[in-house]
Amino acid sequence: MTKRYGLVLILFTLVWLFVCWPWLSGALTIPYDAKAHFQAQIQFLARAIHDGQSPFWTPHVFAGSPQIADPQSLIFSPAILLALLSRDPTFWMVDVFTFSLLLLAGYAVIAFFKDRGWHPAGALLAACITAFGASAAWRIQHIGQIQSHAFLAISLWLLARALQRGTVMWGFCAGLAAGVMIVEPDQVAYLGCIVLAAIIADYLLVRGEIAARFKSRLPMLVAAVAGGALVVTGPLLMTLLFAEASNRPDISFAEATRGSLSPAAFLTFLFGDLFAAAERTRPYWGPSSEIWSPQNYFLSPNMTQTYCGALAALLLGVSFASRLLWVREMRVYACLLVFNVIYAFGNFTPVFQWMFNLLPGIDAFRRPADATFTFGFIIAIVSGYVLHALIAGKVVFTVWRWRLLAIAMISASAAALVAGYSVGHFLDATRNLGRGLLWLAAGGALLTALMHRSVLRPNRYYAPVMLFLLAVFLAADFSANNGPSESTGLPPKTYEALKPDTDNATIKFLRSHTQVAAKDARRDRVELLGVGFIWPNLGMVHGFDHTLGYNPLRLADFTAATGAGDTIAGPDQRHFTKLFPSYRCVLADLLGLRFIASSVPIEQIDKRIMPGDLTIVERTKDAIIYENKRALPRALFVRDFQVADFDQLISSGQWPDFDPRRTVLLENAPDPVNVPAVRENIRLTAAETALRESGPHVSALQLNEYHNTIIRLTVDSSTSGFVVLNDVWHPWWRATIDGEAVDILKANVLFRAVAVSPGRHEIVFEFKPFAGAIAELGERLFDQQ
């Protein structure tokens, strides 16, 4: 048996190489989010590390964002190994990393089967489904979710071994793996926690043995909790605090269920790419398409694909016909399978409403269709076990159940044809249904061969030959049906603008015109207005500062003030607000928004813009580049302050009468004991104030150092005042003046300021997330008491 498992490892690796070769060879690269979001994240992480900077804060998107708390930043991901390896990780390197996660997941499943003594053929099948089934193949662009999927497999293997052996070491390792799964939380990790909790409950809740089992496994469970806590405590705390201060501290039921999976999508479990999600020559016509139900639900075509291979579909039918899923060792997986299907359906069943109301933490996630990841993983375990039972002769068939199964298959085929006919794609449905049935027939023939040893004389070559035939079939099946598509593989040249050494004219112009002169207080920002899907996070790759970006999680105040959305890929995604009603506005100038690169004439988007408000300075293949000559420097010295209600400013858009070069708006009047500028103003008489305003005033401000998490300025002024830094305010930033800690005041709705006394001073702003998060948590706990 051990030798056969060695062969399984080799065969699975060969299947992985065959299915992944279009990407591993460099002919294709993983598209969309893998490039527009995750490639930019890993590039920023690598550049920061190799330049000796901290990656915990990025100034390059949304006028500044806490990367350390972003659940998609990859800082706490194994992807950090790529950042350590290269200053400029290539597309190919990131693709290899992503597919390697699936390879490790498959290895973990093989080890899980080996520990149970199940047949090696079942292990090979389960490993291939884990790596290439359902969303693991179709949603490869979501690298964070792929990581969660892979570490769910690893965690399950380690947890099952820990429960079986009861050792503290294996429990601790299981906790570490589960910690990596959830350290950058997403819905796949959330569902993975439910899977692992169900496995533990299933082990403990044995009639008559609950107390004994719990007592014997308590040290192991404590070790598992300790291992998980070691990984997740700090990062998860910061993510939760960021989420509470973000645009989406929780998600409403209506918003979450817009990503519900139509029951019709499970027709693809039987018939592969039934709705033409992979075909570039024909439009997608399945659930959530333009012609299906665009008004209520929204999912990309790749999110509706549930194909786990022909053998998985057949074996699930076998399990139904033989009641195999209700044996003791499979019962928990049967329940999890039902749970994940209902979860994925979302608003298509009333049950999800109960789940949404009862399950803690569920309102942090949208898109119930993410359950197709865990659905595919449970299908892998179930299919592998059923194949094991078939080969071992443990299956007892019931005739009437076979008849029901045949009726179900005929009904599913009819449903596919009816669906195609109802939306005008009957011929497409017929063709894709026929292809699916051929794969099912071929899978049935292979199962027959595996079940009946009379096909080949049972000798020492029988098992290796059968495993080899199984591997060939799986490689062909997954390559043909879950292989490269428009959603999963595009030519690398598609993403030329993402390369650090790109010759793209727009990028070259913005990089050259936003370079900062030594000790200059200017550091201009840009806006990439609807130039394309990969553009919003390009600042993280090329080092310029973008007012917007691509991320579902953003600081709430910034979002409310500027209208920042998840992305700005298309010109229709620029949403103006009362405080930012046009590119000619106070907030645009305060942001230092100097250049706007727009894919269309800007007056088509900004209806308030007037001739002369912006100047065209360049035209490229991608965009028209406008200049806002009113953009203010990044740092300013002002003498006066004025109190303003920032929430009211955001809601009304009515700025008070003030000159931001002379006056700063503050939410509250500073304490005169701690703020020298206020103390000095209080002592002045009206006559002295008039004399001060008209008298000579000398000040100089230099921006000496601007790094991700540390900013150094010097100011030399004959009067007291405020140094305003037009970077987004966040509670985890700290400031010192000449080495002494001072308060950072929230200024001009979004920005930072510190009060300074007359003379020459060095001001240092430093991002300290760990101390800041602990202090913020303490303040919240104290306030609650």
PDB file of all heavy atoms in Angstrom, residues 228-238:
ATOM      1  N   GLY A 228      -3.197  28.239  16.518  1.00  0.00           N
ATOM      2  CA  GLY A 228      -3.955  29.187  15.709  1.00  0.00           C
ATOM      3  C   GLY A 228      -3.850  30.604  16.231  1.00  0.00           C
ATOM      4  O   GLY A 228      -3.672  31.561  15.467  1.00  0.00           O
ATOM      5  N   ALA A 229      -3.951  30.753  17.568  1.00  0.00           N
ATOM      6  CA  ALA A 229      -3.877  32.087  18.174  1.00  0.00           C
ATOM      7  C   ALA A 229      -2.524  32.740  17.923  1.00  0.00           C
ATOM      8  O   ALA A 229      -2.429  33.957  17.737  1.00  0.00           O
ATOM      9  CB  ALA A 229      -4.157  31.985  19.672  1.00  0.00           C
ATOM     10  N   LEU A 230      -1.471  31.923  17.916  1.00  0.00           N
ATOM     11  CA  LEU A 230      -0.132  32.443  17.676  1.00  0.00           C
ATOM     12  C   LEU A 230      -0.038  33.129  16.318  1.00  0.00           C
ATOM     13  O   LEU A 230       0.635  34.148  16.158  1.00  0.00           O
ATOM     14  CB  LEU A 230       0.880  31.298  17.764  1.00  0.00           C
ATOM     15  CG  LEU A 230       2.355  31.673  17.605  1.00  0.00           C
ATOM     16  CD1 LEU A 230       2.812  32.524  18.788  1.00  0.00           C
ATOM     17  CD2 LEU A 230       3.215  30.409  17.499  1.00  0.00           C
ATOM     18  N   VAL A 231      -0.745  32.594  15.341  1.00  0.00           N
ATOM     19  CA  VAL A 231      -0.688  33.141  13.983  1.00  0.00           C
ATOM     20  C   VAL A 231      -1.637  34.313  13.789  1.00  0.00           C
ATOM     21  O   VAL A 231      -1.289  35.319  13.179  1.00  0.00           O
ATOM     22  CB  VAL A 231      -1.005  32.029  12.953  1.00  0.00           C
ATOM     23  CG1 VAL A 231      -1.068  32.604  11.540  1.00  0.00           C
ATOM     24  CG2 VAL A 231       0.024  30.918  13.030  1.00  0.00           C
ATOM     25  N   VAL A 232      -2.848  34.208  14.335  1.00  0.00           N
ATOM     26  CA  VAL A 232      -3.905  35.131  13.905  1.00  0.00           C
ATOM     27  C   VAL A 232      -4.194  36.288  14.847  1.00  0.00           C
ATOM     28  O   VAL A 232      -4.805  37.275  14.417  1.00  0.00           O
ATOM     29  CB  VAL A 232      -5.230  34.373  13.658  1.00  0.00           C
ATOM     30  CG1 VAL A 232      -5.029  33.219  12.717  1.00  0.00           C
ATOM     31  CG2 VAL A 232      -5.857  33.902  14.966  1.00  0.00           C
ATOM     32  N   THR A 233      -3.788  36.218  16.109  1.00  0.00           N
ATOM     33  CA  THR A 233      -4.279  37.195  17.089  1.00  0.00           C
ATOM     34  C   THR A 233      -4.024  38.639  16.658  1.00  0.00           C
ATOM     35  O   THR A 233      -4.944  39.456  16.561  1.00  0.00           O
ATOM     36  CB  THR A 233      -3.658  36.943  18.470  1.00  0.00           C
ATOM     37  OG1 THR A 233      -4.005  35.624  18.895  1.00  0.00           O
ATOM     38  CG2 THR A 233      -4.171  37.948  19.475  1.00  0.00           C
ATOM     39  N   GLY A 234      -2.767  38.963  16.409  1.00  0.00           N
ATOM     40  CA  GLY A 234      -2.437  40.337  16.032  1.00  0.00           C
ATOM     41  C   GLY A 234      -3.032  40.752  14.694  1.00  0.00           C
ATOM     42  O   GLY A 234      -3.749  41.769  14.614  1.00  0.00           O
ATOM     43  N   PRO A 235      -2.770  40.007  13.623  1.00  0.00           N
ATOM     44  CA  PRO A 235      -3.321  40.400  12.320  1.00  0.00           C
ATOM     45  C   PRO A 235      -4.839  40.464  12.294  1.00  0.00           C
ATOM     46  O   PRO A 235      -5.416  41.384  11.703  1.00  0.00           O
ATOM     47  CB  PRO A 235      -2.798  39.299  11.383  1.00  0.00           C
ATOM     48  CG  PRO A 235      -1.560  38.798  12.041  1.00  0.00           C
ATOM     49  CD  PRO A 235      -1.835  38.873  13.503  1.00  0.00           C
ATOM     50  N   LEU A 236      -5.501  39.499  12.940  1.00  0.00           N
ATOM     51  CA  LEU A 236      -6.958  39.484  12.900  1.00  0.00           C
ATOM     52  C   LEU A 236      -7.543  40.658  13.694  1.00  0.00           C
ATOM     53  O   LEU A 236      -8.550  41.253  13.285  1.00  0.00           O
ATOM     54  CB  LEU A 236      -7.483  38.164  13.441  1.00  0.00           C
ATOM     55  CG  LEU A 236      -8.944  37.824  13.110  1.00  0.00           C
ATOM     56  CD1 LEU A 236      -9.175  37.833  11.619  1.00  0.00           C
ATOM     57  CD2 LEU A 236      -9.325  36.482  13.705  1.00  0.00           C
ATOM     58  N   LEU A 237      -6.904  41.007  14.805  1.00  0.00           N
ATOM     59  CA  LEU A 237      -7.358  42.164  15.573  1.00  0.00           C
ATOM     60  C   LEU A 237      -7.293  43.424  14.707  1.00  0.00           C
ATOM     61  O   LEU A 237      -8.243  44.218  14.664  1.00  0.00           O
ATOM     62  CB  LEU A 237      -6.496  42.334  16.826  1.00  0.00           C
ATOM     63  CG  LEU A 237      -6.672  43.658  17.581  1.00  0.00           C
ATOM     64  CD1 LEU A 237      -8.088  43.789  18.116  1.00  0.00           C
ATOM     65  CD2 LEU A 237      -5.644  43.765  18.712  1.00  0.00           C
ATOM     66  N   MET A 238      -6.180  43.609  14.011  1.00  0.00           N
ATOM     67  CA  MET A 238      -6.043  44.805  13.177  1.00  0.00           C
ATOM     68  C   MET A 238      -7.045  44.795  12.022  1.00  0.00           C
ATOM     69  O   MET A 238      -7.597  45.834  11.658  1.00  0.00           O
ATOM     70  CB  MET A 238      -4.606  44.918  12.670  1.00  0.00           C
ATOM     71  CG  MET A 238      -3.639  45.311  13.771  1.00  0.00           C
ATOM     72  SD  MET A 238      -1.949  45.585  13.220  1.00  0.00           S
ATOM     73  CE  MET A 238      -1.373  43.903  13.095  1.00  0.00           C
TER      74      MET A 238
END
